[in-house]
């Protein structure tokens, strides 16, 4: 394996087979539907998630950050397998406590070179940073060099998401029922982004084609 191991959390939305191709290790968050709890990607695939979401009567899902212990187990395994350093890139701290867990785990392994980075973004916004980091790792870059690159290039990432339906904003309490109904009739498509680590509205347009 490369001297520097690359770790992300499952909020990167990177399929496990893609992560494996790049030599990236994924630490899953917990996804809960009511009293049913799953580890993202490993116990609940993306297809399974959306199948549950559209099922009538399904409660809105919630997520929980991976624990420090889960990160520690992953870090220890990678070090035992020969990694000299670890670069762990996580979803924005404003959106999840995941990066805090990773920092606690790194502190538990005193003396080991573990760089924990708050990406300040989400989804493949930091998945792409991880892919770049993995390329550098395969080329023999040090952990410090890779971490410096990620810290520098994360400022170049702009993430935009066009929402095709207002249903889940309504179910999650983000907008009222009447507002969602009017928006649906007018085919309103909100476009959201992540600014300074937090979700913000970038625009809203009518029709999917314009979005």
């Amino acid at each position: 394996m490369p001297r520097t191991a690359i770790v992300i959390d499952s909020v990167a939305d990177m399929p496990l087979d893609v992560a494996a191709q790049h030599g990236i290790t994924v630490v899953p968050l917990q996804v809960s539907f009511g009293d049913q709890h799953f580890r993202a990607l490993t116990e609940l695939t993306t297809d399974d998630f959306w199948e549950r979401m559209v099922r009538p009567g399904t409660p809105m899902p919630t997520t929980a950050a991976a624990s420090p212990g889960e990160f520690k187990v992953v870090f220890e395994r990678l070090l035992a397998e020969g990694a000299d350093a670890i670069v762990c890139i996580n979803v924005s701290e404003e959106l999840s406590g995941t990066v805090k867990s990773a920092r606690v785990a790194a502190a538990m392994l005193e003396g080991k070179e573990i760089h924990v980075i708050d990406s300040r973004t989400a989804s493949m916004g930091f998945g792409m940073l991880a892919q770049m980091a993995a390329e550098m790792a395969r080329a023999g870059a040090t952990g410090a060099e890779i971490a410096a690159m990620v810290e520098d290039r994360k400022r170049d990432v702009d993430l935009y998401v066009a929402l095709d339906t207002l249903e889940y904003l309504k179910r999650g309490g983000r907008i009222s029922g009447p507002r969602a109904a009017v928006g649906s009739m007018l085919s309103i498509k909100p476009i959201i982004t992540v600014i300074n680590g937090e979700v913000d509205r970038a625009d809203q347009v009518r029709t999917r084609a314009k979005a």
Side-chain angles (χ1 to χ4, degrees), residues 19 34 81 87 94 133 165 190 204:
E81 290 175 355
V87 175
E94 276 73 24
T165 175
Q204 63 178 31

Side-chain angles (χ1 to χ4, degrees), residues 2-6 14 19 21-24 89 127-142 145-146 149-150 153:
R3 291 173 52 200
T4 301
I6 308 302
M14 185 181 293
Q21 290 170 14
H22 288 274
I24 297 170
I89 311 169
M128 290 187 295
L129 292 172
Q131 289 175 328
M132 294 167 61
E135 290 175 5
M136 288 184 66
R138 287 194 298 272
T142 66
E145 290 170 339
I146 295 170
M149 180 279 296
V150 175
R153 294 301 303 276

Side-chain angles (χ1 to χ4, degrees), residues 105-141:
M108 292 178 183
L109 299 173
E110 187 177 357
K112 304 299 183 181
E113 185 182 349
I114 303 175
H115 304 269
V116 178
I117 300 172
D118 179 350
S119 71
R120 309 298 292 161
T121 188
S123 192
M124 276 300 290
F126 72 97
M128 290 187 295
L129 292 172
Q131 289 175 328
M132 294 167 61
E135 290 175 5
M136 288 184 66
R138 287 194 298 272

